Amino acid sequence: MSELTYSAIIRIAKLGFRALGQQISITGLEHLPRTGGALVAVNHVSYVDFIYGGLPVERIGRRPRFMAKRELFDHRVTGPIMRACRHIEVDRSDGESSLGVALDNLRRGEVVGIFPEATISRAMEIKTLKTGAARIAAAAAVPLVPVVLWGTQRMMTKDHPRDLSRGLAITVRVGEPVPLEGDAVGDTARLHAAMSGLLDTAIREYPQPEPAAWWLPARYGGTAPTLEEAARTDAAERAARAARKAEKSA
């Protein structure tokens, strides 16, 4: 039943792509294994990244199981869908158990998707990565494949109104598996470098350039906040969320 649900979701998504007239370009499919486990590490610039981040895996006839925050599983609409598609719930208060579930999936030969930045990048660049992706891939002895999305932030992201205009260009670039040496910090640095390189190419080759756009990183001439500015905003957001939680618990 779960695969039937997953297939139905994919069909609906593809209808949506066509209805919006989106120009989706996917490159690097040769880097994805056709069989066996693999961990796909995707950058995070939009609320819809899990849809587009799974496209290259779907293109080779496989189904990614994405690691996603618990709130999506608790939601009355998205929760049943996430569970039916056998995505992996991530409880931030118990991250190790989530890693264990991901490992089990990988050892069964599944493709697992992960957002190693953990949260959306307001800077539209690759943020500091968590070491979980490198640790999981090394423990499962599977390829760690970097994937970068560009253009999805124009649809739906933090601090900006959604925009479902027709004809939007979406770029999906798949890179070569990152060499793993068993050192989580070093492996994570190599993953960051690989994702940053893919993103640089995606930005420079994007078919709909717009100088000074809000969705373009500052160092490319856009008006998105720098990584440092975005980090300060993220910290303030976390503090406000913690204060609300403490107030609710009191």
Side-chain angles (χ1 to χ4, degrees):
M1 181 59 72
S2 65
E3 293 308 292
L4 290 175
T5 300
Y6 211 146
S7 296
I9 296 295
I10 290 171
R11 285 196 296 272
I12 292 168
K14 288 181 176 179
L15 287 173
F17 302 153
R18 285 198 290 273
L20 292 171
Q22 291 184 341
Q23 306 169 41
I24 302 175
S25 170
I26 303 176
T27 58
L29 291 179
E30 67 275 12
H31 301 309
L32 289 168
R34 268 50 179 180
T35 59
L39 186 63
V40 174
V42 186
N43 72 318
H44 206 1
V45 290
S46 166
Y47 291 114
V48 295
D49 287 339
F50 69 96
I51 297 173
Y52 295 87
L55 283 180
V57 180
E58 189 275 333
R59 284 282 178 92
I60 64 168
R62 306 190 70 183
R63 298 284 186 267
R65 314 298 173 184
F66 270 97
M67 300 180 71
K69 61 184 181 180
R70 181 179 181 178
E71 289 83 349
L72 289 173
F73 289 82
D74 290 339
H75 193 277
R76 63 185 179 84
V77 175
T78 59
I81 295 172
M82 298 297 283
R83 285 187 288 274
C85 294
R86 290 178 31 229
H87 292 306
I88 301 165
E89 180 179 343
V90 176
D91 184 347
R92 289 171 181 166
S93 64
D94 185 18
E96 291 304 315
S97 66
S98 303
L99 299 187
V101 175
L103 274 173
D104 288 343
N105 276 264
L106 291 167
R107 287 166 176 160
R108 288 198 301 269
E110 298 263 23
V111 177
V112 171
I114 188 171
F115 296 103
E117 295 167 282
T119 57
I120 287 174
S121 173
R122 287 180 160 98
M124 310 302 168
E125 296 199 65
I126 308 298
K127 296 167 58 176
T128 299
L129 305 184
K130 307 294 184 183
T131 60
R135 290 191 289 129
I136 294 170
V142 299
L144 176 57
V145 183
V147 173
V148 157
L149 307 174
W150 189 247
T152 57
Q153 75 277 24
R154 298 175 63 186
M155 297 174 62
M156 195 182 305
T157 192
K158 286 185 175 182
D159 309 325
H160 296 278
R162 67 182 62 186
D163 182 0
L164 300 180
S165 301
R166 286 183 53 80
L168 180 69
I170 304 290
T171 298
V172 186
R173 300 188 70 91
V174 183
E176 296 181 6
V178 175
L180 298 176
E181 298 180 2
D183 167 22
V185 174
D187 290 343
T188 299
R190 281 182 282 278
L191 174 61
H192 192 284
M195 294 178 75
S196 296
L198 288 171
L199 182 61
D200 178 72
T201 303
I203 292 173
R204 294 183 188 282
E205 297 182 356
Y206 189 61
Q208 295 175 344
E210 187 178 319
W214 65 261
W215 45 266
L216 189 64
R219 69 189 182 95
Y220 290 88
T223 58
T226 64
L227 284 166
E228 294 75 18
E229 291 167 342
R232 289 194 290 271
T233 302
D234 290 346
E237 183 179 68
R238 287 194 300 273
R241 188 166 56 241
R244 287 194 299 270
K245 186 176 179 180
E247 185 178 338
K248 201 175 288 187
S249 301

